[in-house]
């Protein structure tokens, strides 16, 4: 019975993720959805700025803290191994929906491209960004990343294997294609408002810090030499720019 409940919980968490992901596309692109990043009544600038920064910070704290191995070790004792990833996905998705709901528009235009060919190019790049995000999740292990493998394995009394470390497909071009896809989608717009710029700038800063100082640190710790070699061979986010890692990291992968 408990396994069925965990299964239903995991499926619901995945549905909430799908809703938040699709809404994110509409929100950032000001497309299809009732409330886009630039819609709604504008309030005083400082208040809007503080609310928006507060919302993004809330997301950053939840997303970073709950992804750390130390937190997970403690958290699985409470929630159980099978439901851990689904809970992470559910809370992440709910916080995203909170951002979309409470986001304060700041509609002063920073740039507005009128050339229709350029507008089309930017719109295509925007969609390419989202396609990169989605495709890359399948290159790692989409169903494990979103907790579905864990809940199905739990039903079958099977231990979920950690996904294979991926160095192929887009992971051969950059180490973080999912993040690259987000960055492309956040910045590629023909009309950039102050609110959209704030969103893009803060999320970019967060992605750079979280990837470099949290995720890669964990991966170096878990994979050691293998990850250092990967860092030496494949650039972090910008394709075809190779970055050499600090030699001191080779002797201390946990640094
Ligand atoms: C949301 S995904 C983002 C992955 C990567 N940062 C990216 O942007 O494509 C985070 C999870 O992917 C895992 N991960 C990162 N690089 C990986 C790789 N090359 N192969 C398999 N898993 C990876 C991390 O350990 C973490 O659990």
């Amino acid at each position: 019975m408990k396994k069925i409940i965990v299964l239903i919980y995991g499926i619901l968490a995945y549905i909430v993720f799908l809703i938040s992901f699709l809404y994110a596309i509409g929100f950032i692109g000001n497309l299809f959805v009732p409330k886009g990043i630039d819609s709604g009544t504008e309030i005083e600038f400082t208040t809007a700025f503080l609310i928006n920064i507060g919302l993004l910070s809330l997301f950053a704290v939840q997303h970073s803290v709950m992804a750390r191995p130390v937190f997970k070790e403690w958290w699985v004792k409470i929630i159980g191994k099978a439901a851990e990833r689904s809970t992470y996905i559910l809370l992440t998705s709910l916080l995203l929906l909170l951002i979309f709901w409470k986001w304060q528009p700041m509609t002063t235009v920073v740039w507005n491209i009128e050339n229709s060919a350029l507008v089309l190019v930017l719109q295509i790049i925007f969609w390419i960004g989202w396609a990169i995000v989605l495709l890359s999740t399948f290159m790692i292990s989409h169903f494990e990343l979103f907790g579905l493998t864990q809940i199905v394995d739990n039903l079958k009394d099977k231990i979920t294997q950690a996904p294979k470390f991926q160095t192929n497909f887009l992971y051969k071009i950059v180490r973080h294609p999912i993040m690259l896809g987000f960055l492309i989608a956040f910045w590629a717009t023909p009309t950039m408002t102050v609110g959209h710029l704030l969103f893009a700038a803060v999320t970019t800063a967060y992605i750079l810090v979280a990837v470099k100082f949290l995720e890669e640190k964990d991966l170096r710790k878990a994979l050691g030499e293998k990850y250092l070699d990967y860092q030496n061979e494949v650039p972090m986010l910008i394709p075809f720019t190779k970055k050499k890692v600090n030699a001191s990291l080779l002797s201390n992968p946990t640094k």
Side-chain angles (χ1 to χ4, degrees), residues 140 145 164-166 171 175-179 215 219 230:
I140 302 185
L145 205 57
K164 211 175 138 278
F165 182 62
Q166 179 62 265
Y171 284 85
R175 302 198 294 275
H176 303 282
I178 297 179
M179 297 305 137
E215 186 175 326
L219 285 164
Y230 182 56

